[in-house]
Short mmCIF file of all heavy atoms in Angstrom, two decimals:
data_model
loop_
_atom_site.label_atom_id
_atom_site.label_comp_id
_atom_site.label_asym_id
_atom_site.label_seq_id
_atom_site.Cartn_x
_atom_site.Cartn_y
_atom_site.Cartn_z
N VAL A 14 -35.13 -46.21 10.42
CA VAL A 14 -35.02 -45.74 9.02
C VAL A 14 -33.54 -45.75 8.67
O VAL A 14 -32.75 -45.27 9.47
CB VAL A 14 -35.57 -44.34 8.88
CG1 VAL A 14 -35.45 -43.87 7.47
CG2 VAL A 14 -37.02 -44.26 9.34
N ILE A 25 -31.33 -44.54 11.68
CA ILE A 25 -32.01 -43.58 12.49
C ILE A 25 -33.04 -44.39 13.26
O ILE A 25 -33.97 -44.96 12.70
CB ILE A 25 -32.68 -42.48 11.68
CG1 ILE A 25 -31.60 -41.76 10.84
CG2 ILE A 25 -33.44 -41.54 12.56
CD1 ILE A 25 -32.23 -40.69 9.89
N LEU A 27 -36.05 -44.72 15.96
CA LEU A 27 -37.09 -43.94 16.58
C LEU A 27 -37.89 -44.81 17.51
O LEU A 27 -38.23 -45.97 17.21
CB LEU A 27 -38.08 -43.45 15.56
CG LEU A 27 -37.65 -42.58 14.37
CD1 LEU A 27 -37.40 -43.47 13.13
CD2 LEU A 27 -38.72 -41.60 14.10
N MET A 144 -35.78 -33.59 15.93
CA MET A 144 -36.10 -34.93 15.42
C MET A 144 -36.57 -34.89 13.93
O MET A 144 -36.11 -35.69 13.12
CB MET A 144 -37.14 -35.57 16.28
CG MET A 144 -36.66 -35.93 17.64
SD MET A 144 -37.93 -36.76 18.69
CE MET A 144 -37.16 -36.72 20.28
N VAL A 145 -37.45 -33.97 13.63
CA VAL A 145 -37.98 -33.98 12.25
C VAL A 145 -37.13 -33.20 11.25
O VAL A 145 -37.33 -33.31 10.07
CB VAL A 145 -39.47 -33.45 12.19
CG1 VAL A 145 -40.39 -34.31 13.01
CG2 VAL A 145 -39.53 -31.99 12.58
N ASP A 146 -36.20 -32.44 11.79
CA ASP A 146 -35.50 -31.60 10.87
C ASP A 146 -33.95 -31.52 11.06
O ASP A 146 -33.20 -32.08 10.28
CB ASP A 146 -36.10 -30.16 10.98
CG ASP A 146 -35.72 -29.28 9.80
OD1 ASP A 146 -34.80 -29.69 8.98
OD2 ASP A 146 -36.26 -28.17 9.67
N SER A 148 -31.61 -32.85 12.96
CA SER A 148 -30.65 -33.98 13.12
C SER A 148 -30.57 -34.86 11.87
O SER A 148 -29.81 -35.79 11.78
CB SER A 148 -31.08 -34.84 14.32
OG SER A 148 -32.31 -35.53 14.02
N VAL A 149 -31.35 -34.49 10.85
CA VAL A 149 -31.40 -35.27 9.60
C VAL A 149 -30.86 -34.42 8.44
O VAL A 149 -31.27 -33.26 8.31
CB VAL A 149 -32.87 -35.60 9.28
CG1 VAL A 149 -32.98 -36.43 7.96
CG2 VAL A 149 -33.47 -36.35 10.45
N MET A 175 -33.63 -41.26 18.27
CA MET A 175 -34.72 -40.30 18.60
C MET A 175 -35.64 -41.00 19.60
O MET A 175 -36.39 -41.90 19.27
CB MET A 175 -35.58 -40.00 17.35
CG MET A 175 -34.74 -39.42 16.20
SD MET A 175 -35.81 -38.85 14.88
CE MET A 175 -34.54 -38.20 13.70
N TYR A 198 -43.76 -30.49 6.09
CA TYR A 198 -43.63 -31.81 5.42
C TYR A 198 -44.97 -32.29 4.91
O TYR A 198 -45.08 -32.89 3.84
CB TYR A 198 -43.08 -32.81 6.42
CG TYR A 198 -41.61 -32.63 6.70
CD1 TYR A 198 -41.19 -32.30 8.00
CD2 TYR A 198 -40.67 -32.68 5.69
CE1 TYR A 198 -39.85 -32.13 8.31
CE2 TYR A 198 -39.29 -32.47 6.03
CZ TYR A 198 -38.89 -32.19 7.33
OH TYR A 198 -37.60 -32.03 7.62
N LEU A 226 -45.43 -40.46 12.86
CA LEU A 226 -45.41 -39.16 12.24
C LEU A 226 -44.00 -38.64 12.00
O LEU A 226 -43.61 -38.19 10.92
CB LEU A 226 -46.16 -38.11 13.16
CG LEU A 226 -46.28 -36.73 12.58
CD1 LEU A 226 -47.41 -36.65 11.50
CD2 LEU A 226 -46.61 -35.72 13.70
N ILE A 227 -43.15 -38.79 13.06
CA ILE A 227 -41.75 -38.34 12.91
C ILE A 227 -41.04 -39.19 11.87
O ILE A 227 -40.35 -38.70 11.03
CB ILE A 227 -41.01 -38.51 14.28
CG1 ILE A 227 -41.61 -37.53 15.34
CG2 ILE A 227 -39.51 -38.22 14.18
CD1 ILE A 227 -41.20 -37.73 16.73
N ARG A 228 -41.33 -40.50 11.83
CA ARG A 228 -40.70 -41.39 10.86
C ARG A 228 -40.99 -40.89 9.40
O ARG A 228 -40.20 -40.84 8.57
CB ARG A 228 -41.19 -42.82 11.05
CG ARG A 228 -40.55 -43.78 10.11
CD ARG A 228 -41.15 -45.22 10.20
NE ARG A 228 -42.60 -45.18 9.91
CZ ARG A 228 -43.09 -45.12 8.65
NH1 ARG A 228 -42.28 -44.99 7.59
NH2 ARG A 228 -44.39 -45.11 8.47
N ARG A 229 -42.25 -40.54 9.24
CA ARG A 229 -42.65 -40.03 7.86
C ARG A 229 -41.97 -38.74 7.50
O ARG A 229 -41.58 -38.56 6.32
CB ARG A 229 -44.17 -39.83 7.81
CG ARG A 229 -44.97 -41.15 7.79
CD ARG A 229 -46.41 -40.86 8.09
NE ARG A 229 -47.22 -42.06 8.12
CZ ARG A 229 -47.91 -42.53 7.08
NH1 ARG A 229 -47.88 -41.93 5.92
NH2 ARG A 229 -48.67 -43.63 7.21
N CYS A 230 -41.81 -37.88 8.46
CA CYS A 230 -41.15 -36.59 8.15
C CYS A 230 -39.67 -36.85 7.81
O CYS A 230 -39.10 -36.24 6.91
CB CYS A 230 -41.27 -35.62 9.36
SG CYS A 230 -42.98 -35.09 9.64
N VAL A 231 -39.08 -37.67 8.64
CA VAL A 231 -37.67 -38.00 8.46
C VAL A 231 -37.44 -38.66 7.11
O VAL A 231 -36.52 -38.30 6.35
CB VAL A 231 -37.13 -38.97 9.60
CG1 VAL A 231 -35.81 -39.61 9.25
CG2 VAL A 231 -37.07 -38.19 10.90
N ALA A 232 -38.33 -39.57 6.73
CA ALA A 232 -38.23 -40.24 5.43
C ALA A 232 -38.36 -39.23 4.27
O ALA A 232 -37.62 -39.37 3.30
CB ALA A 232 -39.28 -41.34 5.33
N HIS A 233 -39.26 -38.31 4.49
CA HIS A 233 -39.42 -37.28 3.41
C HIS A 233 -38.12 -36.46 3.23
O HIS A 233 -37.65 -36.32 2.19
CB HIS A 233 -40.59 -36.37 3.76
CG HIS A 233 -40.88 -35.40 2.60
ND1 HIS A 233 -41.89 -35.65 1.72
CD2 HIS A 233 -40.23 -34.25 2.19
CE1 HIS A 233 -41.86 -34.68 0.79
NE2 HIS A 233 -40.85 -33.83 1.08
N LYS A 234 -37.60 -35.97 4.41
CA LYS A 234 -36.38 -35.18 4.30
C LYS A 234 -35.23 -35.97 3.71
O LYS A 234 -34.47 -35.50 2.82
CB LYS A 234 -36.02 -34.58 5.68
CG LYS A 234 -34.76 -33.75 5.56
CD LYS A 234 -34.56 -32.79 6.73
CE LYS A 234 -33.30 -31.94 6.48
NZ LYS A 234 -32.98 -31.04 7.59
N LEU A 235 -35.08 -37.23 4.17
CA LEU A 235 -33.97 -38.04 3.59
C LEU A 235 -34.07 -38.28 2.15
O LEU A 235 -33.06 -38.23 1.42
CB LEU A 235 -34.01 -39.42 4.34
CG LEU A 235 -33.39 -39.47 5.69
CD1 LEU A 235 -33.62 -40.83 6.35
CD2 LEU A 235 -31.90 -39.11 5.73
N ALA A 236 -35.30 -38.44 1.62
CA ALA A 236 -35.42 -38.70 0.17
C ALA A 236 -35.00 -37.44 -0.58
O ALA A 236 -34.34 -37.60 -1.59
CB ALA A 236 -36.92 -39.04 -0.11
#
Side-chain angles (χ1 to χ4, degrees):
V14 178
I25 300 176
L27 304 95
M144 291 183 190
V145 298
D146 196 351
S148 69
V149 179
M175 304 188 178
Y198 289 117
L226 183 79
I227 296 170
R228 183 187 60 75
R229 286 166 183 265
C230 294
V231 166
H233 186 99
K234 180 162 183 182
L235 281 173

